[in-house]
Each structure stands twice: as structure tokens, then as C-alpha cells.
Amino acid sequence: MQTKTPIYDFVSEYIQNDMSRLHMPGHKGKNVLGCEERDITEIDGADYLLKSEGIIKESETIASSLFDTACTIYSTEGSTLALKTMLRLAMQYSDSSHFRILAARNVHIGFVHACALLDIDVDWLINEELDSLTSCMIIPERLAAFLKQMEEKPDAVYITSPDYVGKMADIRGLAEVCHAHNILLLVDNAHGAYLHFLETSLHPIDLGADLCCDSAHKTLPVLTGGAYLHVSKRMAQTYCDLYENAKKAMSLFASTSPSYLILQSLDLCNTYLSSGFPEQLKNTCIDLTSLKNRLEQLHIRSYLYEPLKLTIDCTSFGMSGTETAAYLRQKHIECEYADNYDLVLMMTPKNDIRDFIRFENAFSALTKKTAFQRDFPVMPKPIKACSIREALLANSITIPTEEAEGCICACPSVSCPPAIPIAVSGEILTKEVLQIMKFYHIQTIDVVRK
Ligand SMILES: Cc1ncc(COP(=O)(O)O)c(C=O)c1O
């Protein structure tokens, strides 16, 4: 069992020594919220996240061995920071003078921001048959066909898996295609930190991804903001200094004051992961499967595309996802995400039996309506007018969506969650795109000033 928690221990000792804190932060360790005592800064011995050589490096090494990676680095600003770091790191190891990436369209907004800051050109992988805003499943054959017809090969492929409704890509197959073309596979695994600890790992790094980011805080007991950037052993066979370069890459985007509360939380999570977590995870997966089966008996359609995410198809009982979320709220249940059709619930071993019972009771008491069909508007092919960077950094104005036809998208309007843009910076806002925005209730949009 892994019991070393160097960051947490350092802070505990600092508290015991009863020091006068003549340094930041301004609360001086005096409790207002209740956690200030543990909130320190880069004092002597506390190491520095962006150039770690001491306790932080030691803790990251423990995380790396738990996730079986070449190296793992912590982020205290979520996967949003980790994915920017991942893109910069991939860029650093590419031979081409202008880094290009091929990305499945359902990217998180942080990806668009990173492309603007790093001036990355993106080719989009779109799946017209299956796409909704949240999902863009790309099968290996489709990736292979797409790469074949590209005149200039990308430097990396970027996939979001699991996506917001839990759908998971065939990472093993996609990695094989990428590696056959000598292309890196980058995965936004924000929703899947726990996947490594299943009986059979489904974690992207174990399935062949070169780099991936995990939001520890989404599925593990870590404070909001705690995340990992993982580098695969395969990538480390080809490239050197990945740990040091990942830190340099992170420094471009990160605050110089990383939260020590979040670092301690990541540190303690290592012990949690190595003390019975796989067993607890297995039990939660079993509980979720039986919950799904009981919903089925109530004629409620639901999916466990991803083992810890229960996605309920609310059309199966004639309600919208948002309507169902409002109903559940009255029953003291807050869900993760809801849209016109679906409702997403995220569970972990930290959910107790009461949560499951409440949920089942709420659905047993639900007055169902007539089921209806889904009618997703088809995602049109994007039409590019200028680069993401040009558009996102241009002068822009905010206008009502219905007046935006023909304009160029500056800063994408996203609802959060899922923070996935419908139109990306630099694209022309066509009638079809605006219809989709209307479908997702987006009222205003930033457009490039003419
Ligand atoms: C797919 C995906 N990627 C990245 C992020 C950003 O993660 P974080 O909130 O940890 O910064 C999110 C956040 O919801 C997400 O859903």
C-alpha cells in the first residue's frame, strides 16, 4: 500500500511548529473558512509546482507509479490547464515548423483557447451521422480514412473520451492508427481519472494514448481544480526530458501561486487510490448496474457507456433532461448535466446508499408522459474564415444570435457544462450553425468586429 504523503506531511509539520507566517497568503493560517491553516505558499521546503524538485516531485512520482505512466504532473487549475500544457508539450516535440492537429469536434473550450494562444491550426473530425454537441465518436477506420486523404499529415490527433454523456472512444484502435502514421495521440480524459483502477483498465494511457489529462476532482476525492497530466512510457521511449518540459509548458499558462490545498488533496488521493479503491470502485459499478436494471423495470431507458456515469434518456418517459433535473432537485438530488433529451449523473464510491435510494424513489414516484423522438439538428461542416488565433484575439462585439448570420465567430459562446463550442473562433456563422445555437438556447455571441 502507498502511504507516503510528502506534501500533506510537510504542511502538518509546519502547522505543528507554530510559525509566525510573515509571508503570503494574507489569512496567515487563521480560520475563516476553516481550511486556511493548511493553505500555505512556496516557503522553504515546500517545493514549487512549476519547477518541482522536492516534495511535490516526490508526490507526483508516487502518482506516476499508481497510474503506471512515465511521468505524471499535477495541475491545480483543472484539466483546463493540463490540456493546454499537453498541447504545448506535443508541440515542443514536433518536427514541423507549424504544428497542426486533427481533433474530434466535441472539444472543451479550453482546447480552443490553447489553440489561439499557441496559434495551432486545427482540422476537425466530424461524424455527421452521430454527432450531437456532446458526442463525436470517431472510429479507427474513419480516422485512418481521414488521414489517408489529408495532403499534409497532422502532428497530433486529439480525442475527448469519455465525453460528457459518457461515450468512450476506441482508444486502442485510434492509437494504432496514429502510431502507424507516427502521429501522437492526445486524449482529454477529464472525466476518466478513475478508469485506470477498474478490474481491466480503460484508462487512455493504458490503451495507447501518448499524453492525456485527467480531472482528478471530477471522479476522485480531490478538491476542485486538482488534475493530472500523464505522459506514457511509450512516448518516453522516444523523447527525453518530458517531466522538465511539461513543467516549462505548464508555466506558460499557470498561475505562479498554485493552491497548496489542492496539492495536498492530490497528495492524499495517492493513499486513497492505493488503499482499497479498486474494490470500492468495483462495488459502485455493481450498484450502478443494478440501479440501471431497476430503471429498466420502470421503463426508463438509461446507459452506462462509462462505468461511473449514468445517462438517462428522458425522452423515454416524455420529459426533457432539464425538466427531469428540476424534478430531481425538488427531491434533493442535483445532477451533473441535463439538456433537451438527456440527464447525466456522476457517482463515485463516495456516494452512499442514501443517494441511490433517493434516486430510485424519485424515479418510482415520477409521473411519466408520452415518450418522444430525439430530433438533433445535424451539425454542419464548419466554414473557416480565418485562424482561431486571429478571430479570438480580434476586436469583437457581442450581438444577439439571430443577428449573427454571415459574421465570424470571435469568442465561442458556450453553456457550462458542457463548455463545448458549437461554432469555433474564425468560423462563419451560417444559418445552420445559428439554428443549432437556438436549439441549445444560446442567446448572444461574440463576433469579429467588421
Ligand atoms: C471534456 C472536458 N475537458 C476538460 C474540462 C476541463 O476540466 P477542469 O474543470 O478540470 O478544468 C472539462 C470540464 O468539464 C470537460 O468536460
Side-chain angles (χ1 to χ4, degrees), residues 162-177:
D163 66 27
Y164 227 99
V165 290
K167 290 191 183 158
M168 295 174 75
D170 174 1
I171 299 293
R172 199 187 294 283
L174 294 171
E176 273 168 25
V177 175

Side-chain angles (χ1 to χ4, degrees), residues 67-71 93 155-156 171-172 174-186 204-211 230-240 242:
F67 281 90
D68 198 22
T69 61
C71 62
Y93 287 98
D155 299 279
I171 299 293
R172 199 187 294 283
L174 294 171
E176 273 168 25
V177 175
C178 288
H179 297 156
H181 286 85
N182 214 10
I183 293 170
L184 294 175
L185 177 64
L186 277 47
I205 291 290
D206 298 317
L207 300 177
D210 296 286
L211 294 168
H230 301 294
V231 178
S232 73
K233 288 182 176 165
R234 183 190 170 278
M235 190 166 172
Q237 277 169 2
T238 317
Y239 304 108
C240 53
L242 282 152

Side-chain angles (χ1 to χ4, degrees), residues 75 77-83 106-110 158 160-164 188-191 213-218 224-227 336 416-420:
S75 159
E77 295 165 69
S79 280
T80 308
L81 171 62
L83 71 83
N106 58 337
V107 289
H108 181 260
I109 185 70
Y158 185 95
T160 302
S161 174
D163 66 27
Y164 227 99
D188 175 345
N189 180 49
H191 290 249
C213 64
D214 303 354
S215 296
H217 68 93
K218 289 196 200 298
T224 297
E336 167 59 29
C416 189
I420 300 170

Side-chain angles (χ1 to χ4, degrees), residues 35-46:
C35 55
E36 288 84 351
E37 195 180 31
R38 294 213 149 262
D39 185 31
I40 60 159
T41 186
E42 284 87 6
I43 52 174
D44 186 42

Side-chain angles (χ1 to χ4, degrees), residues 340-355:
N340 292 343
Y341 303 137
D342 292 317
L343 178 88
V344 174
L345 301 137
M346 291 172 75
M347 311 276 214
T348 74
K350 291 286 177 193
N351 283 103
D352 55 28
I353 188 71
R354 187 194 65 158
D355 298 335

